[in-house]
Amino acid sequence: MTVMAIDVGGTRIKTGLVTGGSLLAESKLPAEAAKGLAAALPRIESELRKLCEREGIDPADCHGVAMGFPALVDFKRGRVFNHYGKFVDASNVDLNAWCEDAFGVPFALENDARLAMVGEWQNGAGRGFDSLAIVTLGTGVGTAVLCEGQPLRGPHFLAGNLGGHMIIQPGGVPCACGVRGCVEAETGSARLPERARRHPGFADSVLKDAEAIDYKAVFSAAAAGDRVAVELRDRALELWGALCVNLARSFDLEAILIGGGIMGSADVIIPSLQHFCDEHADMPWGRITIKPTEHPDHMALLGAEWLINEKRNA
Ligand SMILES: [Zn+2]
């Protein structure tokens, strides 16, 4: 049975049709997040209809519509809790009513990292594990946890989603989440140019002339021995390593899957995080596995089928 899948991001909205663990069709839309979520829904509906038409599927015959959203969400009610500055109208949008009007099929809303975690657990790098976490490294730092074969949600659906906002440097950089020194504020790529410019050696660094100071530029300059880039890279790797150890110890994990926009440097990131965990996460049962995600572009879409089945069986 086919499921319609939506992965809402700050810059792009991905839509797709999923069946039997694979993606039948997909497309991408500009998010135009400043215009709000309500304004994006007609475009999403029309895109899903186009995909169905192309595949010869009647949308009303689909099993449901699953949406991943980049914020904390109420899974039971299908409502967005907060927006952290993206799609500021999101918490007022009745997505269940939209889906009922548009397609007349069941709707499920999930946090984007949790949906991605489900996608990788069911159809990617997480297959075979019962307890794992996903960490998405990019503009922000997203996390989600699978505990004994069930996505961990907690009584208010926040459990496992706030790993990126664990305080790792008390008194450090302020974050939109309301604390100082969380992993996202200290390592997210959004604040990377500011961290580079604050470095006392910045005037002598090749990063000064970089077109954009992102992790790609930092990892490449660090590989060439640039002192500022080496320090920025090593500091980020250390804090991400600490995040992995904190998650592994908090949730008794077997594996942590690493994904997100900066995984072009996976050849450095994965061995470094594995090494950090081997050194610092002393687990009585053995060794935690650090792996890259298998479907970096589609992991949330691939979680849609499992999510709709869960919703329908609830
Ligand atoms: Zn934060």
Side-chain angles (χ1 to χ4, degrees):
M1 188 67 97
T2 306
V3 166
M4 293 184 264
I6 307 160
D7 180 16
V8 179
T11 51
R12 269 190 305 272
I13 298 171
K14 297 173 192 168
T15 57
L17 300 176
V18 186
T19 191
S22 54
L23 201 55
L24 282 183
E26 57 157 329
S27 67
K28 288 188 188 102
L29 301 168
E32 298 176 10
K35 292 184 186 167
L37 182 59
L41 293 176
R43 293 190 292 127
I44 294 172
E45 179 185 342
S46 137
E47 204 63 23
L48 287 170
R49 286 191 184 284
K50 264 190 253 170
L51 294 181
C52 284
E53 199 178 320
R54 205 186 302 161
E55 295 299 317
I57 294 166
D58 181 346
D61 289 340
C62 282
H63 223 44
V65 177
M67 175 188 280
F69 192 83
L72 297 170
V73 308
D74 181 329
F75 171 72
K76 209 174 251 175
R77 291 169 58 238
R79 300 296 286 240
V80 174
F81 275 132
N82 58 11
H83 52 73
Y84 286 144
K86 291 167 274 191
F87 302 98
V88 290
D89 63 338
S91 44
N92 299 320
V93 177
D94 186 343
L95 291 162
N96 289 299
W98 164 73
C99 184
E100 182 58 37
D101 289 350
F103 302 112
V105 298
F107 176 75
L109 178 70
E110 186 51 284
N111 165 268
D112 59 346
R114 199 180 279 124
L115 190 59
M117 186 273 294
V118 168
E120 286 285 331
W121 164 51
Q122 287 291 301
N123 303 299
R127 269 182 301 232
F129 293 105
D130 279 333
S131 293
L132 60 79
I134 193 167
V135 174
T136 58
L137 303 172
T139 322
V141 177
T143 65
V145 171
L146 179 81
C147 189
E148 297 179 275
Q150 279 298 315
L152 188 67
R153 292 198 177 94
H156 311 99
F157 313 100
L158 312 187
N161 279 159
L162 290 169
H165 299 283
M166 282 183 186
I167 298 172
I168 215 149
Q169 180 73 47
V173 178
C175 178
C177 74
V179 306
R180 283 178 172 271
C182 66
V183 184
E184 183 165 310
E186 297 290 333
T187 69
S189 63
R191 310 288 281 272
L192 187 59
E194 180 189 323
R195 284 196 294 280
R197 288 192 192 99
R198 260 201 331 251
H199 192 288
F202 184 68
D204 301 320
S205 166
V206 298
L207 294 174
K208 180 172 57 77
D209 303 317
E211 215 164 274
I213 303 177
D214 52 15
Y215 274 110
K216 194 173 169 216
V218 166
F219 275 79
S220 137
D226 184 89
R227 191 170 65 87
V228 174
V230 166
E231 282 183 30
L232 288 169
R233 178 197 66 188
D234 291 353
R235 175 73 175 147
L237 289 171
E238 186 181 31
L239 296 182
W240 294 332
L243 169 63
C244 288
V245 170
N246 289 344
L247 288 171
R249 286 183 161 177
S250 302
F251 299 110
D252 189 5
L253 304 176
E254 299 159 345
I256 300 181
L257 313 180
I258 313 289
I262 67 165
M263 288 302 282
S265 304
D267 58 329
V268 177
I269 294 171
I270 298 296
S272 165
L273 300 187
Q274 183 69 66
H275 180 70
F276 194 96
C277 285
D278 292 347
E279 294 275 298
H280 297 96
D282 187 14
M283 311 298 257
W285 54 268
R287 181 175 186 249
I288 182 158
T289 303
I290 307 290
K291 294 175 81 176
T293 54
E294 204 172 299
H295 305 286
D297 291 332
H298 305 127
M299 48 196 180
L301 297 180
L302 289 170
E305 227 174 347
W306 190 91
L307 195 75
I308 287 296
N309 282 332
E310 185 194 28
K311 193 85 184 183
R312 291 180 71 111
N313 295 330

